[in-house]
């Protein structure tokens, strides 16, 4: 025999449930939030994380803490957030390399892009083909000529998987595949030091990491992936101008990810805050000198970008698995 609850009892219960679901988004955050960065302090991801955290702390009236968890091509930080409670209080800042993690770690049982959901792209920035400053290599043509010599001992550095994929495509496009040895690094900073020291010929990396060295003359940016020449370095041509415009996977982005089961209301609240951060003068003051452009798009827009880049990584996965 069925028993029916009186409406007087049932209605408050339904109202309480609805209020709880609403509060799950509108009351977020009611305690400190942590942004996990997969790389060492001082790089593009770290700079963006700290500028964003400062804005969010003021906007949310809650402490937003940045924690650097470098190692294993970003896997340590990524796996940490994958295991966190899906409540929005622990977030990952990652780059396109997240799409490659399932190919470079054979022990990884879960695809990060299944266990995590895209929230918002914080910013995007160009990559650059970079060599040591004050050498005979001053253009892409010089690089091709130097490294095509029979006895040339040219090499190119790659850090996390994004730079490996971008660099592989560019080396192919320059006709230097098989003429330059790839040297893997745990991060960009060590590769930059070896370029400056003359131990490696070239690196493909985000321009934010090398712009100060380019201006100081210790490094030389030969070309950039932007659609037009950058006003900060107008003498540097684009990849397209150098005949490299069809290379895939050359622009970098920095995005926020949350555990996959994070409620939609919380994800939307975070994404809305990222849109405001992209317009904040304090954030712009930090990012614009680094040639990084704030974006702050929606979860749906960012999900589409991640899916597109995942397809590109899938096509290039043989290069990752060969490492």
């Amino acid at each position: 025999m069925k028993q029916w609850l009186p409406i007087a009892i049932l209605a408050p219960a339904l109202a309480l449930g609805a209020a709880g679901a609403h509060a799950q988004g509108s009351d977020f955050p009611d305690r400190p939030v942590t942004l996990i960065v997969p790389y060492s302090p001082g790089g593009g991801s770290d700079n963006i994380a700290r500028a964003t955290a400062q804005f969010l702390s003021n906007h949310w009236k809650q402490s937003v803490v940045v924690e650097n968890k470098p190692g294993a091509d970003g896997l340590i930080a990524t796996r940490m957030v994958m295991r966190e409670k899906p409540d929005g209080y622990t977030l990952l800042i990652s780059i396109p390399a997240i799409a490659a993690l399932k190919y470079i770690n054979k022990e990884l049982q879960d695809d990060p892009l299944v266990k995590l959901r895209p929230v918002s792209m914080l910013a995007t920035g160009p990559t650059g083909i970079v060599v040591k400053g004050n050498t005979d290599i001053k253009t892409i043509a010089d690089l091709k000529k130097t490294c095509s010599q029979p006895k040339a001992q040219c090499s190119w550095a790659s850090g996390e998987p994004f730079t490996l994929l971008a660099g592989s495509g560019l080396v192919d496009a320059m006709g230097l595949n098989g003429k330059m040895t790839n040297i893997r690094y745990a991060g960009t900073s060590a590769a930059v030091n070896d370029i400056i020291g003359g131990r490696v010929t070239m690196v493909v990396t985000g321009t934010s990491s090398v712009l100060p060295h380019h201006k100081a003359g210790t490094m030389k940016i030969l070309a950039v992936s932007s659609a037009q020449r950058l006003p900060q370095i107008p003498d540097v041509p684009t990849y397209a101008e150098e005949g490299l415009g069809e290379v895939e996977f050359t622009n970098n982005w920095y995005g926020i990810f949350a555990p996959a089961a994070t409620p939609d209301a919380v994800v939307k609240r975070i994404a809305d805050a990222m849109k405001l951060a992209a317009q904040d003068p304090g954030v712009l003051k930090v990012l614009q000198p680094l040639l990084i452009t704030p974006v702050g798009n929606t979860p749906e827009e960012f999900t589409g970008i991640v899916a597109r880049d995942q397809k590109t990584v899938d096509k290039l996965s043989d290069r990752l698995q060969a490492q």
Side-chain angles (χ1 to χ4, degrees):
M1 181 177 178
K2 294 182 179 178
Q3 292 184 340
W4 300 93
L5 290 174
I7 292 178
I9 296 176
L10 183 60
L14 292 173
L16 181 62
H22 177 72
Q24 196 172 35
S26 62
D27 290 351
F28 175 89
D30 58 9
R31 54 189 171 87
V33 175
T34 301
L35 301 182
I36 304 297
V37 179
Y39 307 108
S40 302
S45 299
D46 183 65
N47 288 328
I48 291 171
R50 294 184 186 279
T52 303
Q54 180 65 50
F55 169 81
L56 293 177
S57 294
N58 295 330
H59 176 64
W60 283 335
K61 309 302 181 187
Q62 288 288 343
S63 175
V64 178
V65 180
V66 175
E67 290 187 9
N68 298 85
K69 300 288 183 182
D73 287 322
L75 181 60
I76 292 174
T78 304
R79 183 175 276 166
M80 174 182 171
V81 179
M82 287 165 61
R83 295 170 176 170
E84 285 291 327
K85 185 177 179 181
D87 54 12
Y89 286 93
T90 303
L91 303 168
L92 176 73
I93 290 188
S94 195
I95 61 176
I98 192 172
L101 290 178
K102 65 181 182 180
Y103 290 115
I104 62 175
N105 191 307
K106 297 179 180 179
E107 297 178 359
L108 183 63
Q109 297 179 345
D110 297 314
D111 183 349
L113 293 182
V114 172
K115 293 294 184 178
L116 298 171
R117 63 182 297 183
V119 176
S120 180
M121 182 194 293
L122 297 176
T124 185
T127 60
I129 298 173
V130 189
V131 298
K132 178 180 172 61
N134 300 317
T135 71
D136 292 337
I137 300 177
K138 301 184 185 301
T139 65
I140 294 294
D142 293 339
L143 179 64
K144 293 179 182 179
K145 181 179 179 181
T146 298
C147 295
S148 295
Q149 299 300 317
K151 295 184 179 180
Q153 295 183 328
C154 290
S155 57
W156 68 278
S158 60
E160 33 67 34
F162 171 76
T163 57
L164 175 62
L165 290 171
S168 294
L170 289 165
V171 168
D172 286 352
M174 290 187 288
L176 296 175
N177 190 23
K179 300 176 183 179
M180 300 185 79
T181 302
N182 176 229
I183 302 176
R184 293 295 308 275
Y185 287 83
T188 302
S189 58
V192 166
N193 289 336
D194 278 359
I195 293 288
I196 294 174
R199 291 177 287 276
V200 182
T201 310
M202 181 195 86
V203 64
V204 175
T205 189
T207 52
S208 62
S209 302
V210 296
L211 183 61
H213 300 290
H214 175 82
K215 290 185 174 181
T218 53
M219 300 185 82
K220 174 73 174 176
I221 303 175
L222 301 181
V224 291
S225 65
S226 53
Q228 292 86 31
R229 293 197 182 201
L230 300 170
Q232 296 90 337
I233 44 175
D235 58 320
V236 178
T238 66
Y239 290 173
E241 287 180 279
E242 295 293 335
L244 307 173
E246 299 302 316
V247 179
E248 294 182 289
F249 214 67
T250 52
N251 287 313
N252 203 1
W253 50 249
Y254 307 84
I256 288 279
F257 292 82
T262 303
D264 291 344
V266 172
V267 168
K268 183 180 185 304
R269 188 158 173 82
I270 297 169
D272 288 347
M274 297 307 164
K275 182 177 181 179
L276 294 176
Q279 305 166 25
D280 178 66
V283 173
L284 292 170
K285 184 178 179 180
V286 172
L287 302 190
Q288 286 181 336
L290 299 173
L291 309 183
I292 296 173
T293 303
V295 178
N297 59 10
T298 66
E300 294 76 18
E301 289 168 335
F302 188 33
T303 297
I305 292 169
V306 172
R308 177 202 67 194
D309 286 351
Q310 180 67 76
K311 291 180 180 179
T312 301
V313 172
D314 291 344
K315 288 192 296 184
L316 301 174
S317 61
D318 58 325
R319 299 180 182 182
L320 292 168
Q321 293 171 325
Q323 299 301 308

